[in-house]
Amino acid sequence: MFNAKKAVAVLTAGAFALGGLAACGSDDEAEGGEGSVYFLNWKPESEETYKKIAAAYTEETGIEVKVVTAASGTYEQTLKSEITKSEAPTLYQINGPMGLVNWQEYALELDDTDFAQDLNDPGLALQGEDGKIYGVPLAVEGFGIIYNEAIFEDYFAMDSAVVTSMDEINNFDTLKEVTDDMQARKDELGIDGVFASTSLATGEEWRFQTHLANIPVFYEYDEEGVTDKQEIAFSYNENYKNVFDLYLTNSTVEPSLTPSKTVTDSMQEFATGKAAMVQNGNWAWSQISDIEGNVVAEDDIKFLPIYTGVEGEESKSINIGTEAFMAINSEASEADQQATIDFVNWLFSSEEGMDYVTNDLGFIAPFESFGDSTPSDPLAKEVNRYMTDPDLEPIPWVFTTFPSQKFKEDFAGGLAQYASGNMEWSDVVDIFVSSWASEKANLG
Amino acid sequence: MQRALKKYFPVFVAPTGIAFTIAFLLPFVIGIYLSFSDFTTISNAEWVGLENYQRAFDESQGFTSSFGFTILVVFVAVVSVNIFAFAIARLLTQKLRGTNFFRSVFFMPNLIGGIVLGYTWQQMINAVLANYGTTIISKWEYGFVGLILLINWQQVGYMMIIYIAGLQSVPPELTEASEIDGATRWQTLRHVTIPVIMPTITICVFLTLANSFKLFDQNLALTNGAPQAQTEMVALNIVNTMFARMGQEGVGQAKAVIFVIFVVLIALVQLRATRSKEVEA
């Protein structure tokens, strides 16, 4: 008879061996050789383009480039499991300084790489506590209030309009006056509301719990001259409330219904001309242009800074910064690390690579080599306009220092309750302050 | 035959045994080890002893409150799912027209994934609540009712199939005899049918209990814990600890171990309780 017992023993041993591998992870196999690149991509919408880039690079240099994409919203999970494998990602993303706290052990120092030295603004790099660079942004993005200029032109032409040109709207008071007046005349203007609906459905609140919150936190940091705080006072909460109330009351929907609205709903209202303004970033361009029944002309889509009523805000522009930083796996073999560095250098400095970045990925790349070349979509052009305007100072993205997703969700929950009328503003402020403190303390 | 089976026993068991070891046993053992460690990835774990278990019960973790909510959901769901499933099964084992068609219809929701169901129900419930100017995440009660509706809609059909199988195995002699002896329909049900199908009830209660305890995707899609984590069930709380917070992986793992122990205990108690009522037909 075929020796069944032996077969079982072999199979079981095999199983344990496999299990053992899964348990202890990344022992690199033979060093040397040419090395290869394994890029763990976090933007599902860019997957096809990255695959094209990888193929082009392999054809040119013979170096293998593997691209794996994490499904939307699961990047941290995917990274956690992928990085322990024997074939771990060599190029991955770190999500700001908070992300670096978690991934420090796996992040290679990048000070000497060409792409790190080529940054427009060295301050954009992600630095560790030791002042060394561990992450380099691959794109800068901007967010503010996107407006439809055509609707404003209609308004300016009306009798007794509060202002007659966009240039006059450069502080919160004017913005509020204009918005209130437009809301009162919404039927004449042919819109459902000035602002597209505030999306507070779960998972859809990031425009408010993260982006809008960037502004009061920035002013608080700025006032005290710090870049992060263990405990926050949320001293500019009234400014947050100013603009949040403005969004809620001068909107296409009742405030109490906002917890059922998604970002897609808001972008749809804007794209179909039912709302004159919507708070979002330049990445929203594809959402505006792809929506069926889109009536907004490309030339009419512009950015307005988010004014909240802080003194001196006339000189501030939109929020420009970056959240995703490229990092190289310090646990990968040296050959792989070198191959990865070469690949990134190629992508951001060779003509072919740069063409992919600007025209296919649509990134505003923050490197000297790119000069003035920017993507051709209207919002990216606007970001570039604000970036290069010498009179206006962009508000940097400080929300990368927000303690955790949990904190953002806690705050968003408060916002939804406030919008529904179940919670006082002071309670929302309490949630912000206490959740910040406890989540920061957890990082310890 | 018996001897041949005995001889080839390892061959038949090995594939399942190996799969079980790789996909369940090893991760479980590693998981227990990790619950005593501080880690970001499983390869850089550092032993910290019982610290994670202590931190799991901090108030800011919301673990105990999610446990409370879960138990409430499980209790209502187990009772309602089983009552509905049994009632429908009774109805569909009568001599009615189209019973097969209705069986399929009731079973169908079970084939749809939890995430899809969650979002679909969220839309439907919001559409209704919009008439009253509110939404499902405005009050936890709405989310709770939504979850119960969803669980029932999804699981009643599945349990119904098991109950139908059980009801069909009740010997007709027994029910006939009780009818001849003058028992009412209710008395027949109470004293003949239910005792005989007790093993089926054991299975169904166990399945609904386990399914409702480990409910995750429906919860995620329907409310994602809103408002203020008041509708967050334990599984969602654990996942959020692992992935929505920084440096909390070990705590999440500790919560998972506590959760497993708790659910196993509850399930054993339930099995023992319902088993003891089983009778020989």
Side-chain angles (χ1 to χ4, degrees):
Chain A
M1 171 205 121
F2 164 73
N3 193 337
K5 264 192 193 148
K6 198 167 175 188
V8 171
V10 169
L11 280 172
T12 319
F16 273 99
L18 275 176
L21 263 186
C24 59
S26 65
D27 295 310
D28 255 333
E29 284 157 46
E31 302 277 314
E34 276 199 312
S36 63
V37 182
Y38 171 5
F39 173 43
L40 188 64
N41 167 33
W42 85 331
K43 275 187 181 290
E45 65 271 25
S46 306
E47 185 185 11
E48 286 308 309
T49 316
Y50 278 124
K51 292 227 152 110
K52 221 164 72 183
I53 294 171
Y57 186 70
T58 307
E59 197 173 317
E60 198 176 306
T61 59
I63 304 284
E64 193 200 335
V65 181
K66 175 172 147 192
V67 179
V68 170
T69 304
S72 178
T74 62
Y75 192 77
E76 284 287 308
Q77 286 99 307
T78 314
L79 180 57
K80 264 178 199 172
S81 56
E82 284 293 306
I83 209 143
T84 53
K85 292 183 179 168
S86 53
E87 294 270 321
T90 59
L91 183 63
Y92 63 99
Q93 307 282 331
I94 290 181
N95 204 359
M98 287 296 113
L100 185 60
V101 174
N102 249 359
W103 295 105
Q104 181 76 65
E105 280 181 54
Y106 291 92
L108 187 73
E109 190 199 312
L110 301 173
D111 286 84
D112 298 331
T113 57
D114 291 343
F115 58 87
Q117 289 171 354
D118 193 40
L119 277 174
N120 279 333
D121 172 6
L124 282 173
L126 177 64
Q127 292 174 340
E129 280 179 356
D130 52 5
K132 299 239 163 48
I133 298 176
Y134 292 99
V136 174
L138 66 169
V140 288
E141 296 173 306
F143 65 88
I145 296 174
I146 301 173
Y147 66 91
N148 182 343
E149 203 167 23
I151 297 175
F152 276 89
E153 294 296 338
D154 287 348
Y155 171 74
F156 296 147
M158 290 173 127
D159 286 341
S160 68
V162 179
V163 294
T164 50
S165 88
M166 262 351 257
D167 298 335
E168 292 175 55
I169 307 176
N170 61 359
N171 58 48
F172 177 73
D173 292 335
T174 321
L175 178 68
K176 182 167 164 50
E177 268 178 66
V178 171
T179 318
D180 288 345
D181 195 32
M182 284 175 81
Q183 182 76 11
R185 305 186 190 184
K186 62 180 180 169
D187 295 332
E188 287 170 71
L189 288 166
I191 52 176
D192 291 353
V194 180
F195 285 103
S197 54
T198 305
S199 60
L200 293 173
T202 60
E204 304 281 339
E205 332 89 328
W206 46 267
R207 290 189 292 149
F208 309 100
Q209 35 97 310
T210 307
H211 290 166
L212 191 55
N214 185 59
I215 295 168
V217 175
F218 161 74
Y219 281 116
E220 186 169 341
Y221 284 178
D222 195 45
E223 193 175 57
E224 295 170 33
V226 294
T227 54
D228 195 358
K229 287 180 83 176
Q230 206 57 25
E231 286 186 9
I232 200 141
F234 201 14
S235 46
Y236 286 87
N237 75 75
E238 282 299 326
N239 301 96
Y240 184 97
K241 183 171 178 287
N242 279 344
V243 70
F244 190 64
D245 283 345
L246 197 66
Y247 291 165
L248 287 178
T249 48
N250 295 331
S251 170
T252 52
V253 295
E254 284 298 306
S256 63
L257 292 180
T258 50
S260 65
K261 293 292 171 187
T262 63
V263 181
T264 315
D265 292 332
S266 337
M267 296 320 292
Q268 183 142 14
E269 290 164 16
F270 180 78
T272 53
K274 288 183 185 153
M277 295 192 261
V278 61
Q279 183 206 310
N280 213 337
N282 60 291
W283 53 86
W285 163 243
S286 63
Q287 258 180 309
I288 298 171
S289 64
D290 291 350
I291 279 171
E292 231 170 278
N294 169 5
V295 296
V296 187
E298 213 174 304
D299 293 339
D300 286 333
I301 302 178
K302 298 278 163 60
F303 263 127
L304 184 71
I306 305 172
Y307 296 116
T308 58
V310 177
E311 211 171 306
E313 64 185 347
E314 286 83 357
S315 65
K316 290 281 189 262
S317 81
I318 61 173
N319 299 253
I320 295 174
T322 182
E323 175 176 33
F325 296 88
M326 286 181 294
I328 291 176
N329 185 356
S330 55
E331 306 275 299
S333 72
E334 258 177 44
D336 285 351
Q337 287 176 3
Q338 193 53 50
T340 309
I341 292 171
D342 292 342
F343 170 68
V344 178
N345 279 335
W346 173 83
L347 188 60
F348 291 105
S349 60
S350 79
E351 218 161 278
E352 202 185 349
M354 282 162 48
D355 184 53
Y356 279 122
V357 172
T358 308
N359 297 324
D360 294 272
L361 291 171
F363 286 169
I364 306 167
F367 300 102
E368 303 248 337
S369 51
F370 281 79
D372 296 334
S373 71
T374 39
S376 55
D377 78 71
L379 289 175
K381 279 189 202 154
E382 282 283 287
V383 172
N384 208 37
R385 178 169 73 87
Y386 275 108
M387 258 197 314
T388 49
D389 189 327
D391 299 328
L392 294 177
E393 189 192 342
I395 295 179
W397 289 15
V398 296
F399 65 75
T400 51
T401 62
F402 286 11
S404 71
Q405 185 61 27
K406 172 83 166 69
F407 158 77
K408 295 178 188 175
E409 282 169 11
D410 288 347
F411 178 45
L415 291 176
Q417 289 290 297
Y418 171 73
S420 317
N422 298 336
M423 197 180 259
E424 293 296 315
W425 181 251
S426 58
D427 295 326
V428 182
V429 175
D430 285 346
I431 292 176
F432 192 96
V433 172
S434 64
S435 180
W436 179 292
S438 72
E439 288 298 301
K440 280 276 183 189
N442 273 331
L443 285 165
Chain B
M1 184 62 190
Q2 194 84 30
R3 274 194 56 208
L5 272 183
K6 223 171 206 164
K7 201 157 117 194
Y8 288 106
F9 164 79
V11 180
F12 292 120
V13 172
T16 314
I18 290 166
F20 184 75
T21 311
I22 295 176
F24 184 83
L25 216 52
L26 275 170
F28 189 75
V29 173
I30 295 167
I32 290 177
Y33 168 73
L34 287 175
S35 74
F36 293 100
S37 318
D38 192 18
F39 67 99
T40 307
T41 63
I42 57 172
S43 56
N44 71 355
E46 237 175 86
W47 186 267
V48 292
L50 283 170
E51 196 193 309
N52 292 331
Y53 286 88
Q54 285 161 356
R55 288 173 72 189
F57 291 101
D58 283 353
E59 207 183 322
S60 70
Q61 293 286 347
F63 188 48
T64 32
S65 61
S66 70
F67 241 122
F69 181 73
T70 308
I71 290 169
L72 185 66
V73 169
V74 170
F75 181 76
V76 178
V78 167
V79 172
S80 59
V81 167
N82 282 287
I83 288 176
F84 283 127
F86 183 76
I88 296 170
R90 279 276 287 184
L91 206 64
L92 296 183
T93 44
Q94 316 285 328
K95 289 191 179 63
L96 293 171
R97 293 180 108 216
T99 47
N100 275 335
F101 171 73
F102 284 113
R103 285 178 195 182
S104 331
V105 169
F106 280 112
F107 185 74
M108 216 84 86
N110 202 263
L111 305 174
I112 308 172
I115 290 278
V116 180
L117 278 187
Y119 285 122
T120 313
W121 277 90
Q122 187 199 55
Q123 294 284 321
M124 292 198 290
I125 293 169
N126 273 335
V128 172
L129 289 178
N131 297 322
Y132 306 95
T134 184
T135 63
I136 190 169
I137 59 171
S138 301
K139 286 214 167 75
W140 75 267
E141 290 91 341
Y142 301 153
F144 173 73
V145 172
L147 269 174
I148 296 294
L149 276 173
L150 204 173
I151 296 174
N152 273 284
W153 197 70
Q154 186 176 28
Q155 296 193 15
V156 161
Y158 191 80
M159 300 307 150
M160 172 202 76
I161 295 288
I162 305 178
Y163 277 119
I164 286 176
L167 286 171
Q168 282 170 340
S169 70
V170 178
E173 311 87 88
L174 282 181
T175 43
E176 268 165 37
S178 76
E179 270 165 35
I180 290 166
D181 287 346
T184 61
R185 287 180 63 132
W186 171 250
Q187 284 169 326
T188 312
L189 177 70
R190 175 76 186 77
H191 298 288
V192 179
T193 315
I194 289 184
V196 174
I197 62 159
M198 211 56 211
T200 316
I201 296 178
T202 304
I203 294 171
C204 285
V205 171
F206 177 79
L207 283 177
T208 36
L209 192 79
N211 284 344
S212 315
F213 258 117
K214 66 184 187 194
L215 200 73
F216 172 73
D217 25 2
Q218 294 87 337
N219 190 201
L220 176 80
L222 193 70
T223 63
N224 197 11
Q228 262 90 53
Q230 284 170 359
T231 62
E232 186 180 60
M233 294 179 69
V234 179
L236 184 60
N237 179 277
I238 292 172
V239 171
N240 281 341
T241 316
M242 290 289 277
F243 298 112
R245 316 180 87 173
M246 296 279 179
Q248 300 269 302
E249 290 84 355
V251 181
Q253 195 60 46
K255 285 181 180 178
V257 172
I258 297 169
F259 185 44
V260 167
I261 294 170
F262 182 81
V263 173
V264 167
L265 282 179
I266 291 275
L268 286 179
V269 169
Q270 177 261 320
L271 284 179
R272 179 167 284 224
T274 44
R275 276 266 158 76
S276 67
K277 297 216 168 61
E278 288 177 14
V279 293
E280 291 288 317

